[in-house]
């Protein structure tokens, strides 16, 4: 009995003197003293050898001893909680947190979204179509019959040419005008859509050309739509995009799907019209093609060209982004260089 009490006293001192320097030490403490095969249990087991008349007082001594071990463990665990999982050091809530890396939207996405938002304010709906197209929607319906020389202007990636077996020609769309065709196929006037999307051309990749890029195309068909509507719509667009000071000019041009056709230039946003590499020292940058929808295109879709007129336009998202953010190499858009992309963090 005497020996047991002395033993308990020694244990208590050992517990009091214990210090931990890691979460592992804490766990070892728990196992040694309070584990299922621990010393507290072992001492408790001595109870059966204690004479009956002393059981009560001895029980109190044992319980007190047990709680000394438990309190100590709680203290140790509180000091090392959480640290066990991370660094094995005490938790310090004043330390800075782990930084969270914030992603950014791609500049082309930012600009496309802005373009879409501007045209939505004018009542345009968004239409999309497939990137793998047939000859009819990409060329035929847009008044570019086979052997039309303008087909050469758009170096097409063919997936299957007619001479490669029977069946339709498949290609990667060279412009989003193919989506105009799909809209006119299913919808009767009034039509007011924009078609954003990726297009493909077989070009050697350089700072100024790429084998894929993005367009936003527009189509507006109704009664009494005039060239003045076209001009005002596009003028509104560039003012919203680049600010009220932007100047525009229209030059006559040619597209098989519009008559008359025009290209639109804006005053160079890089040098404010003074002359730089981007505008080739002219002060003007071409940003889009446009025109009044050719009656043949309307008729291809059973739209009465005597009753309805329309305008259409198409522009490159890369070009608008270049002017907006001064990106001078088209390859940057698809290289996914984090130093380029992170410059757009926080831009929405
Ligand atoms: N499809 C032309 C191109 O890719 C751009 C274009 C010009 C689209 C005139 C049009 C348009 O809708 O009317 O170069």
């Amino acid at each position: 009995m005497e020996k047991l009490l002395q033993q308990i006293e020694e244990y208590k001192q050992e517990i009091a003197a214990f210090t931990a320097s890691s979460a592992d030490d804490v766990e070892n403490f728990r196992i040694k003293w309070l584990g299922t095969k621990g010393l507290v249990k072992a001492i408790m087991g001595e109870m059966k050898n204690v004479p009956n008349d002393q059981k009560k007082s001895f029980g109190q001594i044992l319980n007190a001893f047990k709680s000394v071990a438990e309190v100590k463990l709680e203290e140790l665990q509180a000091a090392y909680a959480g640290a066990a999982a991370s660094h094995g050091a005490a938790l310090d809530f004043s330390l800075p947190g782990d930084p969270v890396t914030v992603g950014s939207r791609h500049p082309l996405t930012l600009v496309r979204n802005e373009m879409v938002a501007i045209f939505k304010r004018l009542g345009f709906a968004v239409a999309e179509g497939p990137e793998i197209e047939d000859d009819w929607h990409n060329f035929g319906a847009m008044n570019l019959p086979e052997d039309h020389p303008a087909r050469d202007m758009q170096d097409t990636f063919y997936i299957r040419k007619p001479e490669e077996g029977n069946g339709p020609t498949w290609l990667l769309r060279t412009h989003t005008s193919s989506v105009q065709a799909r809209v006119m196929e299913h919808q009767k006037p009034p039509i007011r859509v924009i078609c954003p999307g990726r297009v493909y051309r077989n070009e050697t990749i350089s700072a100024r050309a790429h084998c894929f890029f993005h367009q936003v195309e527009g189509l507006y068909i109704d009664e009494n739509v005039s060239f003045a509507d076209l001009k005002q719509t596009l003028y509104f667009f560039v003012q919203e995009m680049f600010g009220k000071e932007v100047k525009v000019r229209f030059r006559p041009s040619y597209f098989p799907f519009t008559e008359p056709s025009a290209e639109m230039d804006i005053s160079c946003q890089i040098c404010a019209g003074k002359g730089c590499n981007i505008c080739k020292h002219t002060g003007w940058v071409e940003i889009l093609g446009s025109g009044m929808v050719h009656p043949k295109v309307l008729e291809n879709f059973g739209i009465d060209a005597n009753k309805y007129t329309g305008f259409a336009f198409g522009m490159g998202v890369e070009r608008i982004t270049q002017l907006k953010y001064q990106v001078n190499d088209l390859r940057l858009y698809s290289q996914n260089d984090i130093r380029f992309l992170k410059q757009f963090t926080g831009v929405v």
Side-chain angles (χ1 to χ4, degrees):
M1 212 38 221
E2 208 40 47
K3 240 178 110 192
L4 208 53
L5 287 174
Q6 197 188 328
Q7 174 77 79
I8 289 173
E9 225 25 67
E10 277 169 22
Y11 280 166
K12 275 189 184 167
Q13 279 167 21
E14 188 180 336
I15 289 171
F18 180 81
T19 56
S21 52
S22 73
D24 281 348
D25 288 351
V26 177
E27 180 59 5
N28 289 335
F29 176 91
R30 187 192 65 77
I31 293 167
K32 177 173 177 180
W33 297 102
L34 293 159
T36 40
K37 291 179 183 152
L39 291 170
V40 171
K41 259 243 164 85
I43 288 278
M44 291 288 196
E46 296 293 328
M47 195 63 171
K48 58 183 184 299
N49 305 323
V50 174
N52 274 348
D53 60 336
Q54 291 178 37
K55 269 200 169 46
K56 192 174 172 205
S57 63
F58 193 71
Q60 283 167 355
I61 291 168
L62 278 184
N63 281 336
F65 167 59
K66 188 180 176 191
S67 66
V68 164
E70 283 172 347
V71 168
K72 178 78 178 190
L73 179 63
E74 268 169 33
E75 280 169 23
L76 293 168
Q77 282 175 336
Y80 284 91
S86 51
H87 314 103
L91 255 200
D92 178 354
F93 290 106
S94 68
L95 287 173
D98 293 334
V100 177
T101 317
V102 179
S104 59
R105 281 195 210 287
H106 194 280
L108 292 176
T109 308
L110 291 168
V111 170
R112 191 223 27 223
N113 288 352
E114 195 172 340
M115 294 166 85
V116 168
I118 294 171
F119 284 110
K120 273 194 174 166
R121 293 207 280 281
L122 290 174
F124 283 79
V126 174
E128 287 184 334
E131 292 180 15
I132 297 175
E133 258 305 358
D134 54 58
D135 194 87
W136 168 250
H137 290 98
N138 196 78
F139 288 133
M142 301 314 289
N143 202 26
L144 277 134
E146 256 166 67
D147 67 29
H148 192 292
R151 285 193 180 205
D152 294 342
M153 278 165 33
Q154 307 189 345
D155 311 270
T156 311
F157 280 121
Y158 283 96
I159 294 171
R160 185 171 65 191
K161 283 185 166 175
E163 57 267 29
E164 293 167 4
N166 35 25
T169 302
W170 290 106
L171 47 83
L172 296 180
R173 67 180 178 197
T174 58
H175 52 185
T176 44
S177 308
S178 57
V179 186
Q180 288 187 29
R182 289 185 175 272
V183 169
M184 286 187 274
E185 206 167 52
H186 296 294
Q187 204 182 316
K188 295 286 147 235
I191 292 173
R192 191 160 35 171
V193 289
I194 49 165
C195 320
R198 181 176 285 184
V199 301
Y200 300 83
R201 291 187 198 177
N202 191 358
E203 302 241 18
T204 308
I205 296 171
S206 71
R208 304 179 132 264
H210 211 292
C211 58
F212 66 80
F213 54 99
H214 300 80
Q215 291 187 327
V216 169
E217 190 113 353
L219 175 68
Y220 182 18
I221 302 174
D222 203 346
E223 292 178 38
N224 300 318
V225 175
S226 71
F227 202 90
D229 297 321
L230 163 68
K231 286 175 83 172
Q232 192 51 44
T233 302
L234 294 175
Y235 190 44
F236 174 82
F237 166 72
V238 292
Q239 284 198 324
E240 291 291 294
M241 194 74 193
F242 295 109
K244 296 280 179 235
E245 291 76 42
V246 66
K247 293 195 205 60
V248 299
R249 73 178 185 190
F250 283 82
R251 284 178 290 102
S253 184
Y254 171 78
F255 299 103
F257 27 88
T258 46
E259 179 59 35
S261 304
E263 281 171 326
M264 191 175 98
D265 301 340
I266 61 169
S267 46
C268 183
Q269 298 300 297
I270 310 282
C271 63
K274 289 191 200 76
C276 67
N277 281 343
I278 303 300
C279 60
K280 299 190 198 103
H281 300 280
T282 64
W284 295 96
V285 185
E286 180 212 317
I287 61 158
L288 59 83
S290 63
M292 301 305 291
V293 181
H294 199 293
K296 269 210 180 130
V297 174
L298 295 176
E299 279 157 19
N300 280 338
F301 297 98
I303 296 171
D304 183 352
N306 292 318
K307 186 170 176 203
Y308 294 106
T309 50
F311 66 74
F313 56 87
M315 61 185 124
V317 182
E318 277 79 354
R319 171 58 61 87
I320 304 288
T321 311
Q322 174 191 40
L323 295 174
K324 190 123 180 131
Y325 293 116
Q326 313 205 358
V327 180
N328 290 337
D329 187 331
L330 275 176
R331 291 168 293 195
L332 283 167
Y333 292 124
S334 49
Q335 279 165 342
N336 280 340
D337 186 327
I338 204 84
R339 292 165 301 177
F340 171 68
L341 295 174
K342 86 175 174 198
Q343 295 177 54
F344 300 90
T345 307
V347 187
V348 285

